[in-house]
Amino acid sequence: MQRTRRTVATLAVLASISLPAGAASFRWAFQSDAVTMDPYNINETMTLGFMGNIYEGLIRRNEKFEIEPALATEWSTPEPTRWVFKLRQGVKFHNGNPFTADDVIFSYERASQKSSDVAPFVAGITAINKIDDHTIEVMTDGPRPILLNEIGLWYIFDKEWSEANNAVQVGALAKGEENFATVNANGTGPFMLKLREPDVQTVLVRNPDYWGKIESNVTEAKFTPIKSAATRVASFLSGELDMMYPVPLQDVDRINQKAGLKVLQNPEVRTIFLGMEQAGDELKYSDVKGKNPFKDRRVRLAVYQAIDIDGIARKVMRGASKPTALMIGRGINGFDESLNDRYPFDPDAARKLLAEAGYPDGFGVTFDCPNDRYVNDEAICQAITAMLARVGIKATLNAQTKAKHFEKLKAMDSSFFLLGWTPGSLDMHNTFFYNAACPPDMVAPGTTAGSGQASWNTGRYCNHDLDKLLSLIAVEVDPAKRQALMSEAMKMHKEDIGHLPLHQQALAWGVKDSTDLVQNPDNTFTLRFVKVK
């Protein structure tokens, strides 16, 4: 991917900006960059959250994280499989093009492409029909009780702009494909892309023609990716930044003790977990030949019981994590506390299980881990590597930037890995559809995989009975019946040890006292709520 491209807004547009009262600039940093400027390239919270300042969907979430109208002003369901959306009139893309129903239909078709990583956002939609320029009819494959939740991060593209700039096709991130949309942006959101220098800085400016009220008084916002935690903290303490995240857990007290600064800490709805390749007859990145240890549940349970999750919570996470037994946590629809008891930490039992499975001396495997995405991600992996070594599993840590890590996982090229997941819909089905549904080439005979199904299921876990439950969950409209189905699915996955959940991490944002903002529970950052005093 080219790393020196830059995008600059026209002087005419910048000159036309009407400054709000108390207009201010804003500077913030994260531990890594947005992977791309094309929100269809990757379903990654940081990238989608960042691009949500530029692009918009039919709905959005307010400061209380509740669904509210955005590019659609109202909607109805005349029939269980038919939705009618009234589109907002008078909206313009940043280049001045008017927003119409044609853009929504184009965006649906673009998002549905095989190379799109957000295809599951629209997977239940079978067609979008134009009634008039500002009314559309959305047809679904069955009742879709959480359709509004699912489309929240499906952002609308300008059809004319995309066609004019050869950006109709979504570039496949795993193949390193790039086009005009990966380094440029043209949304309808409250902020516009002024400057893009990947891994250096990205500058956004206020949209002078925004259709709604922008609560923020920020006119220009500069984002800087700073991988080094020490450098990030130093820049914040010196006053170079108005906000930074995540705050290293060891620096929370230090920042809170400095006048004019504070750390906002709240639970995050993201679950950190381990995945294991379970389909191939031979584990690719292992010293075991002709066999795949992870296909044996006893081995997966041994890995589970070798990990002292409470020790990780105390020593690595400094108390800022909540161990979990499920792939979703509190705050996600479907969470069932009665299922949230972990298998016990028991190294002796782990050694016995490995011996029973035919690995009395353990085995070796490469362990893929990001080093700039989650709170203390590399440190977590280092701790797990040491714990596994005590029971005979020699995990060779491969820690690298999230861009390379995600590229490897998207290519289904890992034997053992760490990943974190926040369902954009805040619903259990999202997590399981992406990570635990059968890959398309493994679905039961006579069934068809949904668009984008298992696109992050790098371990290629597959349980046809679980797939049946997920299909029922997708269309069940009765809340009690739907909850029963979700609980049954989570219990099945837990007993299979399809994945190995670790914990929900806590949010830790460093903010100046002179800055007001909203800390979203999914760790996205929304510029339109920022006010600089």
Side-chain angles (χ1 to χ4, degrees):
M1 184 176 291
Q2 298 181 29
R3 314 307 292 172
T4 57
R5 301 264 190 98
R6 59 171 62 197
T7 302
V8 182
T10 65
L11 293 176
V13 170
L14 296 179
S16 70
I17 293 178
S18 177
L19 301 183
S25 61
F26 180 76
R27 303 156 301 170
W28 89 104
F30 184 63
Q31 63 186 355
S32 59
D33 200 3
V35 176
T36 173
M37 292 292 100
D38 186 344
Y40 293 10
N41 274 150
I42 185 169
N43 179 13
E44 190 240 348
T45 301
M46 188 276 163
T47 299
L48 288 174
F50 185 91
M51 297 310 297
N53 295 301
I54 300 171
Y55 286 95
E56 296 179 298
L58 299 181
I59 61 96
R60 67 183 183 186
R61 292 189 180 271
N62 61 21
E63 64 275 13
K64 296 180 180 179
F65 220 59
E66 301 164 335
I67 290 175
E68 68 176 12
L71 293 181
T73 57
E74 58 182 279
W75 45 84
S76 60
T77 51
E79 301 169 32
T81 59
R82 184 168 71 94
W83 293 62
V84 176
F85 286 85
K86 294 289 187 180
L87 304 181
R88 193 176 297 276
Q89 300 189 35
V91 177
K92 295 181 180 179
F93 287 95
H94 295 161
N95 66 352
N97 286 345
F99 160 68
T100 69
D102 292 332
D103 300 306
V104 180
I105 295 172
F106 167 78
S107 298
Y108 164 65
E109 294 170 347
R110 189 175 191 273
S112 301
Q113 294 174 16
K114 186 176 180 180
S115 55
S116 165
D117 200 36
V118 301
F121 295 175
V122 295
I125 299 173
T126 58
I128 298 182
N129 303 314
K130 177 180 176 180
I131 296 177
D132 59 44
D133 280 347
H134 292 94
T135 310
I136 58 171
E137 176 186 67
V138 176
M139 307 303 296
T140 61
D141 56 6
R144 304 298 294 192
I146 59 166
L147 179 71
L148 295 179
N149 302 66
E150 292 174 331
I151 64 174
L153 294 176
W154 168 45
Y155 300 135
I156 303 303
F157 266 63
D158 177 1
K159 180 177 185 289
E160 181 181 340
W161 177 84
S162 301
E163 292 174 342
N165 292 290
N166 196 30
V168 172
Q169 183 66 35
V170 179
L173 188 67
K175 298 179 180 179
E177 295 176 354
E178 183 182 75
N179 62 30
F180 191 78
T182 60
V183 290
N184 295 271
N186 180 40
T188 60
F191 288 86
M192 308 184 301
L193 182 63
K194 174 185 177 183
L195 174 66
R196 171 65 174 169
E197 294 179 296
D199 294 329
V200 179
Q201 64 174 334
T202 303
V203 180
L204 306 181
V205 292
R206 191 181 187 90
N207 178 4
D209 297 318
Y210 188 57
W211 57 264
K213 177 183 178 182
I214 303 176
E215 293 88 342
S216 175
N217 64 343
V218 173
T219 54
E220 181 171 282
K222 178 183 177 182
F223 168 71
T224 306
I226 305 177
K227 180 177 179 179
S228 167
T231 303
R232 202 164 60 247
V233 171
S235 296
F236 183 54
L237 290 172
S238 68
E240 296 175 25
L241 298 170
D242 300 295
M243 179 268 196
M244 57 82 75
Y245 71 123
V247 174
L249 300 177
Q250 65 270 20
D251 291 310
V252 171
D253 290 341
R254 178 184 173 196
I255 291 174
N256 278 330
Q257 290 169 6
K258 184 173 177 63
L261 304 180
K262 60 188 175 186
V263 177
L264 300 180
Q265 288 185 285
N266 285 292
E268 185 181 3
V269 292
R270 180 186 312 280
T271 296
I272 307 297
F273 61 90
L274 302 179
M276 300 154 282
E277 206 286 308
Q278 300 170 49
D281 291 330
E282 181 174 293
L283 199 58
K284 183 176 181 180
Y285 296 104
S286 172
D287 58 5
V288 178
K289 301 306 176 185
K291 294 177 67 178
N292 181 350
F294 289 140
K295 292 185 77 170
D296 192 321
R297 181 185 182 277
R298 292 171 297 184
V299 174
R300 301 197 297 274
L301 181 57
V303 174
Y304 197 127
Q305 295 200 268
I307 296 174
D308 180 5
I309 195 64
D310 291 327
I312 290 175
R314 287 193 312 271
K315 298 177 181 179
V316 180
M317 300 302 290
R318 296 173 181 253
S321 67
K322 192 169 186 63
T324 184
L326 299 175
M327 292 288 282
I328 61 170
R330 296 170 184 82
I332 301 300
N333 186 46
F335 176 75
D336 187 339
E337 184 66 56
S338 71
L339 297 172
N340 200 32
D341 55 315
R342 289 179 59 86
Y343 294 104
F345 167 55
D346 190 338
D348 291 336
R351 295 186 192 96
K352 183 178 179 180
L353 285 164
L354 287 172
E356 291 175 356
Y359 307 97
D361 299 319
F363 60 92
V365 64
T366 299
F367 183 19
D368 294 308
C369 181
N371 59 17
D372 61 355
R373 179 58 190 96
Y374 312 114
V375 177
N376 288 353
D377 43 16
E378 186 173 6
I380 293 169
C381 293
Q382 289 171 340
I384 290 173
T385 298
M387 292 169 184
L388 294 179
R390 296 189 187 110
V391 302
I393 299 176
K394 299 170 285 293
T396 301
L397 184 59
N398 177 34
Q400 52 188 340
T401 65
K402 71 174 185 180
K404 292 181 179 179
H405 180 70
F406 291 157
E407 184 176 310
K408 191 170 175 60
L409 266 55
K410 286 295 295 176
M412 306 295 160
D413 187 33
S414 178
S415 296
F416 184 41
F417 58 91
L418 179 139
L419 186 62
W421 197 265
T422 300
S425 62
L426 301 186
D427 187 87
M428 168 270 184
H429 185 269
N430 173 285
T431 295
F432 279 72
F433 184 82
Y434 270 108
N435 296 283
C438 292
D441 63 332
M442 296 175 67
V443 298
T447 61
T448 303
S451 178
Q453 178 172 314
S455 56
W456 283 91
N457 187 357
T458 301
R460 292 177 61 76
Y461 166 76
C462 180
N463 182 324
H464 293 153
D465 289 333
L466 178 64
D467 272 13
K468 292 177 183 177
L469 288 172
L470 294 177
S471 296
L472 295 173
I473 290 166
V475 299
E476 180 55 64
V477 296
D478 181 275
K481 291 180 180 179
R482 191 169 189 270
Q483 180 60 60
L485 291 169
M486 290 189 287
S487 293
E488 184 180 354
M490 288 186 290
K491 183 174 184 291
M492 183 181 295
H493 180 265
K494 178 183 175 181
E495 291 176 348
D496 261 359
I497 312 177
H499 294 78
L500 202 165
L502 297 176
H503 59 239
Q504 278 90 42
Q505 64 186 26
L507 300 174
W509 295 8
V511 183
K512 281 186 176 181
D513 287 343
S514 58
T515 300
D516 288 334
L517 50 77
V518 174
Q519 188 178 44
N520 294 327
D522 65 347
N523 205 28
T524 56
F525 177 56
T526 310
L527 269 173
R528 66 188 173 92
F529 297 136
V530 176
K531 295 179 182 177
V532 180
K533 302 172 186 176

